[in-house]
Amino acid sequence: ESCASKLCGVAPLIACLVQSRDDKKIDGDLGAFLLIASRKNYQSIFSSKATACPICVRKAIENRLMSEANNAHSILIVDDEENLLVLLDRILSKEGYAVHTAHDSHQALDLIAENQFRAAILDIKMFPIDGVTLLGMIKARVPAIRVIMITAYPTTDSRAESMQKGAAAYLTKPLDIVEFKRVLRELTN
C-alpha cells in the first residue's frame, strides 16, 4: 500500500508537502495535480491519517486522473456476432476509444461490474438475455451510461421499449459506420 493511501484528504497532503520540502520549490506538476485534486474532491484516494511522500501522492492522483480520462472514452459492445464485435472494436479503437467486448449478456454484466463505461452498444437479439432486458439491467446499475441499441430486426415496439428503458439511440444493421461514429461521438462528448 502506498503512503498516499494513508492520508485522509488534500489539506493534510499540502501540510505534509510544506513540512517536508526543506525550502525547496514544490514541483510544478505536483502543484497542478494538487489543484486538480482539491477541485475534484479526490479525498477518497487518501484513507487514513499519516505522512506521505510527494512522489507516491503524485502517482495516486495521476492514476485517478488517467482512470477518469480513460472512462470518458471507455465503450462496451455486446453482440453475439463475433465478426461485428471485431469490426466495431477495430473501428472504435482507431477513433481513440477503449473498447471492451462481450459475446452475451452474462459476460456484459460481469464487465459492467468490473469497469466504468461511458457508453454501451447492445444488440437486441441475443440469447439467453435479450438486449432490451440487458439495457434495463445495465441502467438499473449505471443510470448515467449512454446506450446505443443495434438490431437487424427493427420494430416500432422494440424501438419504443428501448427508448422507454433509457436507450439514447436506436440504429439498424447493417450499420452506417459514419452515422454510428457520429452518434457515439455525440453521446460520449
Side-chain angles (χ1 to χ4, degrees):
E1 185 175 39
S2 73
C3 60
S5 67
K6 297 176 184 168
L7 283 175
C8 66
V10 174
L13 169 61
I14 293 170
C16 169
L17 290 172
V18 171
Q19 289 174 0
S20 66
R21 72 179 217 180
D22 297 326
D23 294 327
K24 295 177 185 173
K25 287 185 176 181
I26 296 174
D27 180 66
D29 289 341
L30 182 57
F33 281 116
L34 290 175
L35 180 61
I36 292 167
S38 64
R39 285 185 187 156
K40 295 185 100 126
N41 194 16
Y42 279 95
Q43 294 178 1
S44 63
I45 293 175
F46 316 108
S47 58
S48 65
K49 293 180 181 176
T51 320
C53 70
I55 293 169
C56 293
V57 170
R58 174 192 285 164
K59 287 180 182 175
I61 295 173
E62 283 175 343
N63 289 342
R64 177 66 73 86
L65 292 172
M66 289 303 295
S67 174
E68 287 190 1
N70 288 339
N71 290 341
H73 296 289
S74 187
I75 307 296
L76 173 63
I77 306 170
V78 187
D79 200 310
D80 54 3
E81 294 180 41
E82 179 69 25
N83 292 338
L84 184 62
L85 286 177
V86 170
L87 175 67
L88 292 179
D89 186 357
R90 286 183 184 161
I91 290 169
L92 296 180
S93 293
K94 286 180 183 176
E95 294 290 315
Y97 293 99
V99 179
H100 298 259
T101 60
H103 300 284
D104 61 41
S105 298
H106 295 297
Q107 190 179 16
L109 291 171
D110 289 343
L111 287 169
I112 288 285
E114 297 168 2
N115 301 281
Q116 294 180 5
F117 295 104
R118 180 75 177 114
I121 299 142
L122 309 179
D123 184 29
I124 291 179
K125 295 280 186 189
M126 290 188 294
F127 181 81
I129 302 171
D130 67 88
V132 177
T133 303
L134 178 61
L135 167 64
M137 296 167 80
I138 289 173
K139 291 299 265 184
R141 293 176 181 172
V142 189
I145 194 169
R146 308 303 306 263
V147 179
I148 299 172
M149 302 302 292
I150 59 175
T151 184
Y153 308 99
T155 66
T156 53
D157 288 344
S158 69
R159 177 185 295 272
E161 188 177 3
S162 295
M163 297 314 213
Q164 185 265 333
K165 287 191 175 187
Y170 183 97
L171 302 175
T172 59
K173 296 178 184 179
L175 291 172
D176 175 339
I177 297 301
V178 173
E179 179 188 9
F180 174 72
K181 290 193 298 188
R182 180 192 58 77
V183 168
L184 185 58
R185 192 171 35 255
E186 288 174 3
L187 294 177
T188 57
N189 289 332

